[in-house]
């Protein structure tokens, strides 16, 4: 996995310590919107698209609990950093499972860092073993992270971010990835119409 994609999909500890709730909320909203539109492009029912939007907004909620783990440590090692960062999907799932969310939303959150080739976490699932919602969130989450400014790098342009996703396409369900690309292409056409108006 390329370094930029790795950073986008699993931010280093030093960036979680400077956790910015406003940025996390903006990221969740962006993932939510992308997931909803990708679901629509895939022809999913409105109720499922709505659940994708809810999962998108909540997908990183485990970072709120993770922040408590991290700030207790003064200078953890790199291996410990990765261990902590990789806990956020499970922490998010556990925080929400007794709050009335559907299994679809909960599984989407829990497995949103699984890669289609089996190299993700928390369970190293591959292919269609990964729940549909999680496969959709995976692409939307990485794209949203790449196109957002971070404390350690500037935002990548949508074109560069898409090229980076293509370079790492083995991590994504191809059918969903192609729907995501069509969604982004349609969004670009809509922006051009507004500019030309």
């Amino acid at each position: 996995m390329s370094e930029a994609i790795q950073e986008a999909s699993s931010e280093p500890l030093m960036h979680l310590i400077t956790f910015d709730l406003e940025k996390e909320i903006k990221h969740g909203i962006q993932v939510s919107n992308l997931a909803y539109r990708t679901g629509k492009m895939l022809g999913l029912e409105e109720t499922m698209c709505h659940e994708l939007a809810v999962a998108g907004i909540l997908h990183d909620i485990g970072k709120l609990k993770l922040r408590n783990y991290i700030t207790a440590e003064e200078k953890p090692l790199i291996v410990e950093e990765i261990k902590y960062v990789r806990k956020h999907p499970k922490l998010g799932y556990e925080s929400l499972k007794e709050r009335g969310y559907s299994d679809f939303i909960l599984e989407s959150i829990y497995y949103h860092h699984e890669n289609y080739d089996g190299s993700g976490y928390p369970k190293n699932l591959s292919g269609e073993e990964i729940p549909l919602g999680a496969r959709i969130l995976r692409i939307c989450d990485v794209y949203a992270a790449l196109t957002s400014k971070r404390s350690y790098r500037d935002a990548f342009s949508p074109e560069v971010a898409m090229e980076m996703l293509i370079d790492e396409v083995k991590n994504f369900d191809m059918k969903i990835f192609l729907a995501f690309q069509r969604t982004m292409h349609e969004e670009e056409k809509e922006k051009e119409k507004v500019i030309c108006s």
Side-chain angles (χ1 to χ4, degrees):
M1 186 182 290
S2 76
E3 190 173 309
I5 295 277
Q6 180 67 34
E7 286 177 356
S9 64
S10 184
E11 292 187 34
L13 177 67
M14 65 182 182
H15 306 296
L16 289 174
I17 289 173
T18 59
F19 183 87
D20 182 332
L21 185 57
E22 185 178 338
K23 285 181 184 174
E24 290 297 326
I25 291 170
K26 285 180 182 177
H27 174 73
I29 291 169
Q30 185 180 8
V31 172
S32 176
N33 289 333
L34 290 170
Y36 178 87
R37 293 192 345 251
T38 302
K40 283 293 206 187
M41 185 62 72
L42 287 164
L44 302 180
E45 293 179 17
E46 179 62 30
T47 54
M48 190 173 282
C49 292
H50 174 76
E51 290 205 336
L52 278 168
V54 172
I57 204 99
L58 296 173
H59 76 284
D60 279 342
I61 199 160
K63 287 182 180 180
L64 292 173
K65 285 195 172 193
L66 182 61
R67 184 173 172 216
N68 294 331
Y69 284 94
I70 293 168
T71 56
E73 300 285 332
E74 283 190 24
K75 290 188 179 180
L77 303 171
I78 301 279
V79 174
E80 291 177 70
E81 293 173 7
I82 293 167
K83 180 180 80 173
Y84 283 118
V85 168
R86 290 186 172 193
K87 285 185 178 189
H88 84 270
K90 183 178 181 184
L91 292 170
Y93 171 86
E94 289 173 354
S95 295
L96 298 171
K97 70 180 178 183
E98 301 299 325
R99 298 187 181 263
Y101 291 99
S102 70
D103 287 343
F104 180 85
I105 291 171
L106 294 171
E107 289 176 355
S108 297
I109 291 167
Y110 188 73
Y111 296 110
H112 79 272
H113 277 286
E114 296 287 357
N115 290 327
Y116 203 72
D117 69 352
S119 64
Y121 63 90
K123 300 286 185 188
N124 298 103
L125 300 180
S126 64
E128 295 194 6
E129 291 177 316
I130 305 165
L132 175 63
R135 285 182 272 148
I136 293 170
L137 287 185
R138 183 71 180 129
I139 297 167
C140 299
D141 184 31
V142 173
Y143 180 84
L146 289 171
T147 56
S148 298
K149 184 177 181 350
R150 303 294 183 169
S151 59
Y152 55 95
R153 65 157 173 79
D154 287 331
F156 292 101
S157 70
E159 297 77 21
V160 170
M162 192 60 74
E163 289 173 17
M164 293 169 80
L165 292 178
I166 290 168
D167 288 344
E168 296 296 329
V169 77
K170 69 182 179 16
N171 295 323
F172 312 120
D173 179 317
M174 185 57 74
K175 179 181 174 186
I176 295 169
F177 182 72
L178 292 172
F180 178 79
Q181 278 189 310
R182 287 192 307 273
T183 299
M184 299 312 297
H185 180 70
E186 280 190 7
E187 181 180 286
E188 197 57 39
K189 284 179 12 183
E190 289 172 18
K191 285 179 184 175
E192 287 174 12
K193 284 181 188 177
V194 170
I195 292 170
C196 294
S197 302

